[in-house]
Amino acid sequence: MKTQAAVAVAPETDLEFRELTLDEPRPDELRIKMVASGVCHTDAIIRDQWYPVPQPVVLGHEGAGVVEQIGSAVSGFEVGDKVVLGPSFCGSCQQCLSGHPMYCETFYDHNFGAQREDGSTAFSSESGQSVGSHFFGQSSFAEYTNVPAQGAVKVPQDAPLELLGPLGCGIMTGAGAVLNVLRPKPGSSIVIFGTGAVGMAGMLAARAAGATTIIMVDIVAERLDFAEELGATHTVNSKEVDPVEAVKKITGGGAEYALDTTGVPPVFSQMTKSLGVQGHGALVGAAKLGTEAPFDIGTLLVSGITISMVIEGDAVPKEFIPRLIALHQNGELPFDKLTKSYPFAEINKAFADSAAGTTLKPIVVF
Ligand code: NAD
Ligand code: ZN
């Protein structure tokens, strides 16, 4: 069939709208009619080739849509089911089997390979050139796409699909790093660096978990004001004050938990130094391959801190996304306040507004 798609063709260049041919879903796949897709910072850095993903390629990895067609080997789905799409994983390696599919040993190939395991792509151009698909098991910047059924998460028929796509990456990443990895105790303190969609999702999750000192650090005053509105107990503008000193003062020695959503090396160092004795910090912010950050092994040895590198919130999406939806329905995870909708035709504006920091979480609606 034919489908309209936004295609990444070159670094730092607008996505191009093209009519592509979508092939037939494989036995283990679903064809999805996309309803909406979040735009994640990761889409922008892949368009810009921070990680080598072959172009032209259809990006997008926060898709939500409706099952249109079902591969012959798929069970558990019916045509018309509403789904939120998550990352792809093999399901059979040691990490997948032990409940950590976001650390699948072939995660990179599955999510950044832009093709199926057999080397085929789902999309091709009018001239017959293959166009990369299966980005994060989705390539959701297309009206129709084929996805591995394993990564699709069925959601209730009354679920607001136009809102839920970001649960598949950005919101899952921030909330999962907090709820699945850091696991703050009720009454505890946490500092979060970066008040983008990922940091804000972490903040809302920390609040839902009962953390009572929630410090948000950023260099953009408006974002800090918004963080306060949404439940931060303290904000620190690290352009104006030393965030390590500020966090130590607020917490009386250092935070129990910390999250770096920036991927900026000096910020990572600040995070390690903001932790109290035996504190637990996590990095989710992405940096170019080869990026190193200073880490004071002399001073920090005696502090006994733990640092985790966290992918996609270490979630099992089929288990975690329904929990996030339940928290949202309950009013405890109001991530809808982070989002702004754009027609699919304005996807490049959505990218630009995200880069400019004026929109936290753009969602393109088909
Ligand atoms: P974003 O750009 O909206 O937010 C980043 C925030 O960091 C911004 O508010 C920015 O002002 C702030 N910031 C930048 N430099 C800073 C500094 N020096 N000090 C303090 N704050 C600073 O991005 P996002 O959508 O929230 O995503 C955050 C990061 O997470 C991105 O790098 C993204 O690629 C990554 N990510 C990782 C995973 C994962 O699995 N680990 C998944 C999704 C996204
Ligand atoms: Zn993402």
Side-chain angles (χ1 to χ4, degrees):
M1 70 175 294
K2 299 284 183 202
T3 182
Q4 195 68 20
V7 184
V9 292
E12 280 152 58
T13 303
D14 277 356
L15 305 181
E16 280 180 12
F17 283 94
R18 291 192 186 162
E19 189 180 74
L20 302 177
T21 301
L22 177 66
D23 67 3
E24 282 298 296
R26 297 295 195 260
D28 61 343
E29 291 182 345
L30 302 170
R31 175 176 287 166
I32 304 296
K33 182 179 198 302
M34 210 58 69
V35 169
S37 175
V39 173
C40 175
H41 185 79
T42 308
D43 292 306
I45 67 179
I46 298 296
R47 178 200 59 193
D48 297 343
Q49 294 284 294
W50 285 26
Y51 303 159
V53 170
Q55 294 181 331
V57 60
V58 178
L59 300 175
H61 63 285
E62 294 186 340
V66 177
V67 174
E68 173 93 3
Q69 196 179 325
I70 301 177
S72 58
V74 174
S75 59
F77 289 94
E78 284 174 38
V79 170
D81 278 348
K82 286 185 169 181
V83 291
V84 169
L85 304 176
S88 176
F89 50 91
C90 79
S92 56
C93 72
Q94 205 178 352
Q95 294 302 324
C96 285
L97 291 175
S98 63
H100 301 281
M102 301 301 102
Y103 295 98
C104 170
E105 286 164 20
T106 49
F107 192 85
Y108 197 93
D109 295 344
H110 271 87
N111 293 289
F112 297 102
Q115 57 183 19
R116 298 187 177 96
E117 260 175 282
D118 66 7
S120 65
T121 66
F123 299 116
S124 53
S125 70
E126 225 168 310
S127 62
Q129 181 197 23
S130 71
V131 174
S133 64
H134 290 73
F135 178 64
F136 268 93
Q138 311 186 18
S139 292
S140 57
F141 294 154
E143 284 174 339
Y144 291 87
T145 188
N146 294 336
V147 306
Q150 180 147 251
V153 180
K154 215 150 94 170
V155 298
Q157 280 303 104
D158 62 355
L161 282 184
E162 61 287 351
L163 250 189
L164 298 185
L167 292 180
C169 179
I171 305 299
M172 177 161 85
T173 291
V178 170
L179 296 176
N180 298 330
V181 180
L182 296 177
R183 298 172 173 263
K185 290 181 192 155
S188 62
S189 58
I190 183 166
V191 54
I192 298 177
F193 293 84
T195 56
V198 173
M200 294 289 211
M203 180 187 83
L204 298 175
R207 216 173 58 145
T212 45
T213 302
I214 303 176
I215 308 164
M216 299 300 290
V217 182
D218 206 297
I219 47 178
V220 181
E222 297 76 35
R223 285 196 164 194
L224 291 169
D225 292 344
F226 189 47
E228 223 157 80
E229 239 174 76
L230 289 187
T233 59
H234 302 77
T235 56
V236 175
N237 189 330
S238 56
K239 224 160 61 177
E240 290 166 0
V241 297
D242 176 358
V244 177
E245 272 174 30
V247 171
K248 290 204 163 156
K249 195 162 160 216
I250 293 164
T251 55
E256 293 171 85
Y257 307 96
L259 183 65
D260 177 7
T261 72
T262 72
V264 174
V267 176
F268 178 80
S269 300
Q270 290 163 355
M271 177 189 75
T272 64
K273 292 177 184 164
S274 302
L275 285 166
V277 176
Q278 294 254 52
H280 187 179
L283 172 73
V284 298
K288 281 185 181 159
L289 303 182
T291 304
E292 298 196 350
F295 190 91
D296 178 354
I297 59 172
T299 308
L300 291 173
L301 177 64
V302 294
S303 73
I305 60 168
T306 302
I307 299 292
S308 302
M309 303 284 146
V310 185
I311 291 297
E312 298 293 335
D314 193 12
V316 176
K318 278 190 185 358
E319 182 266 341
F320 192 58
I321 287 176
R323 284 207 282 137
L324 294 177
I325 293 173
L327 279 170
H328 179 249
Q329 280 174 340
N330 216 15
E332 294 200 61
L333 201 82
F335 64 83
D336 51 291
K337 294 192 176 145
L338 310 175
T339 63
K340 182 176 170 190
S341 301
Y342 296 76
F344 180 45
E346 287 177 21
I347 191 166
N348 289 307
K349 178 162 171 35
F351 270 71
D353 287 357
S354 169
T358 50
T359 299
L360 280 179
K361 174 52 73 182
I363 297 180
V364 292
V365 179
F366 291 84

